[in-house]
Amino acid sequence: MSGKDYSQSTSNFESFRKENKSNWHFDPSVESNDYEYLGRLDVDFNPLLELMKDDKNFKEIRIAEENKGHEKLNSRIEEFRKWGFTEHNTKSLQMIDKDFPEVFKPFKEFSGLDFCNVVALKQYPGQFLPWHIDTLVGIRNEYGLSDDTDIVRYSLVLENWKWGHYFLAGNSVFHQWTQGDIIQLPPNMHHTTCNSGMEPKLTMTVTGVVTEKSIELKKLKRFTY
């Protein structure tokens, strides 16, 4: 009985590792803090959670679906597929602020970011977002932002933690969260998230250009809107 040969399936990650060896240790045995806890948002989540009950309000995204039409993206997807991910186990539902501007308004404004995009995500049990980095190419292209523009992404949880809901950044596991908790990753930090539990996992990303009002620059750890 022979196992799958993974020796040729990590080329992109190994290239990234060699190019960025001075930025991170790349040692799975090291205990390191690879995300920053920014605080907790205190807001009425109910209007958004009500919208998220109906899957018709979302667009389905399949991360490891073949033939995306972009050479660099296809290369990443090919690597995901070599690892064993497919269009069937990398599905998520995504709802964007442009479709429901009034409901998303508090989540855009509390962040203090310019050119801010907000995405609510629903991940059903058995679904994964494979080991990857956020390139933030989409927001740069959408608003014509230069490569040296300081763009950040906040990750926000929309419900209290449930068993089987999991987020890994570098060597650090984020779990047992409370509704409204916000974290931020260092630039180019690999991460992954999955739902191996019993209920949908509801989260949000808030992405935009840093300003003097951005929450990461505030000493407060409690944000009320």
Side-chain angles (χ1 to χ4, degrees), residues 54-83:
D54 190 345
D55 288 357
K56 293 179 181 178
N57 292 324
F58 293 87
K59 179 181 179 181
E60 184 179 86
I61 304 295
R62 298 172 182 246
I63 297 298
E65 191 172 40
E66 292 183 292
N67 299 320
K68 293 281 189 177
H70 186 285
E71 182 177 351
K72 190 171 183 179
L73 182 58
N74 281 343
S75 177
R76 294 178 68 195
I77 292 170
E78 182 182 356
E79 188 160 76
F80 293 158
R81 295 181 70 87
K82 287 179 179 178
W83 296 346

Side-chain angles (χ1 to χ4, degrees), residues 1 8 11 25 37 82-83 99 102 115 120 129 139 146-147 157 165-166 195 199 204:
M1 185 174 182
Q8 302 301 318
S11 57
H25 52 74
Y37 178 76
K82 287 179 179 178
W83 296 346
D99 289 338
E102 286 303 312
F115 302 101
L129 184 59
I139 190 171
S146 64
D147 289 342
V157 293
H165 295 182
Y166 169 84
N195 185 348
E199 302 178 50
M204 170 180 284

